[in-house]
Amino acid sequence: MYFASPTFCGFCGSFIWGVVKKQGYTCTECKFEVHSRCKNLVPHDCGSKKSKFFKLKDFLQVEDEEEATIRPTRSLRNIHKWDITVLRSYSDFLFTAGSDGTICMWNSDLKLVNTFLGHSRTLSGMTFVEDMMYSSSHDTTARAWNILTGENSLIFRGHTEWISVMQARAGYLITASADSTIRIWDIATAETLRIFSGHEDHVMTFKYRSGILFSAGVDAKIVSWNIVSGEKLMVMEGHKNWILKLNILNGLLY
């Protein structure tokens, strides 16, 4: 089927790509949404109602700070009530987050260590700084958690639509949202330091390099910003459809 709004695969947790052609499948009974490539890996156990079980394959390694690489070695059950949307590895632990609004922390034996409760809608991201975890959600907020105690110490409020992507760096938290804005927050106080407004639709990705912030999204435009002054520097046009990922390599923007 074709998904009219940004959708994440309920099995692998990554974005379901595509604009014109068939993108994936939705279960007619439980409405579980998956990639075409993932549909044969999902257990057919939903019955007449949404399944309370979800099989997540154990992680292999993390190739960089933002992306987890997974392989099918072992499966887990009773992780979340609904589908898992984010998977991250940090230190010796695996973190999973789902559309039930919860985050679970697992040890190397795949035993549940802690559950982080606070978000009310689907989780869209997680990032880590020392003993702190930062999460973002479709409930329009980001939250700061102490990994050791499970305490939710800060709530970042300000976006009016769901947060699509988030990154923590150098004392700041950067979030992009479906409200067409990017915000920079003081990571210690949750105070909004700067708002970047200029996109015409959902902001889906950003990259930061040498004082310049690059952002892109559903409006098919790449915008560059002076991260200190907030000034819009340049608008790059050429794509005809959504831009879902940016990367910077050897001084070039891809």
Side-chain angles (χ1 to χ4, degrees), residues 201-218:
D201 211 321
H202 300 35
V203 183
M204 300 300 294
T205 183
F206 62 79
K207 281 291 180 181
Y208 170 78
R209 185 65 55 86
S210 302
I212 305 297
L213 181 70
F214 299 91
S215 59
V218 175

Side-chain angles (χ1 to χ4, degrees), residues 62-76:
V62 175
E63 296 180 346
D64 61 46
E65 295 178 352
E66 298 179 8
E67 300 293 336
T69 301
I70 59 174
R71 69 176 180 182
T73 55
R74 288 181 288 177
S75 62
L76 301 171

Side-chain angles (χ1 to χ4, degrees), residues 25-249:
Y25 291 83
T26 299
C27 177
T28 56
E29 295 189 0
C30 71
K31 307 304 180 185
F32 193 74
E33 298 167 333
V34 296
H35 286 109
S36 298
R37 67 172 185 263
C38 295
K39 69 182 181 71
N40 293 326
L41 302 175
V42 178
H44 297 261
D45 58 0
C46 61
S48 61
K49 60 182 180 179
K50 192 162 183 115
S51 174
K52 292 186 178 180
F53 301 103
F54 180 81
K55 288 185 177 180
L56 171 69
K57 302 305 179 181
D58 189 14
F59 71 100
L60 171 62
Q61 62 182 5
V62 175
E63 296 180 346
D64 61 46
E65 295 178 352
E66 298 179 8
E67 300 293 336
T69 301
I70 59 174
R71 69 176 180 182
T73 55
R74 288 181 288 177
S75 62
L76 301 171
R77 284 185 176 269
N78 292 323
I79 299 177
H80 296 275
K81 291 180 180 179
W82 309 125
D83 49 320
I84 292 172
T85 55
V86 186
L87 180 150
R88 293 289 183 268
S89 171
Y90 182 70
S91 185
D92 295 324
F93 299 96
L94 176 69
F95 293 82
T96 58
S99 58
D100 58 3
T102 64
I103 303 169
C104 293
M105 177 179 176
W106 310 84
N107 64 18
S108 58
D109 294 322
L110 301 184
K111 301 296 183 182
L112 183 63
V113 176
N114 206 347
T115 302
F116 303 84
L117 302 175
H119 285 293
S120 60
R121 296 185 62 189
T122 301
L123 273 293
S124 58
M126 286 184 285
T127 189
F128 301 86
V129 178
E130 296 180 349
D131 293 334
M132 298 298 296
M133 171 177 65
Y134 299 87
S135 59
S136 60
S137 170
H138 288 212
D139 66 11
T140 76
T141 71
R143 291 174 179 256
W145 311 83
N146 186 301
I147 297 173
L148 303 179
T149 65
E151 177 190 4
N152 179 195
S153 57
L154 290 172
I155 302 177
F156 299 77
R157 304 182 190 274
H159 284 296
T160 58
E161 296 289 345
W162 59 280
I163 297 174
S164 54
V165 63
M166 171 187 61
Q167 185 178 6
R169 58 184 306 136
Y172 303 102
L173 187 71
I174 308 175
T175 57
S177 170
D179 65 10
S180 306
T181 69
I182 305 109
R183 286 177 178 252
I184 296 182
W185 314 76
D186 186 317
I187 206 168
T189 65
E191 176 187 0
T192 299
L193 301 177
R194 195 167 304 284
I195 302 174
F196 300 87
S197 300
H199 282 283
E200 299 170 5
D201 211 321
H202 300 35
V203 183
M204 300 300 294
T205 183
F206 62 79
K207 281 291 180 181
Y208 170 78
R209 185 65 55 86
S210 302
I212 305 297
L213 181 70
F214 299 91
S215 59
V218 175
D219 63 6
K221 299 176 181 179
I222 302 171
V223 181
S224 62
W225 315 81
N226 183 306
I227 204 165
V228 176
S229 68
E231 177 188 2
K232 183 192 293 186
L233 302 176
M234 185 183 299
V235 178
M236 292 164 268
E237 300 184 65
H239 286 284
K240 296 181 179 180
N241 291 305
W242 304 357
I243 301 172
L244 301 176
K245 196 75 173 179
L246 294 174
N247 199 11
I248 300 173
L249 181 64

Side-chain angles (χ1 to χ4, degrees), residues 10-22:
F11 183 79
C12 71
S14 60
F15 198 86
I16 299 180
W17 296 74
V19 176
V20 178
K21 297 181 180 180
K22 181 186 293 184

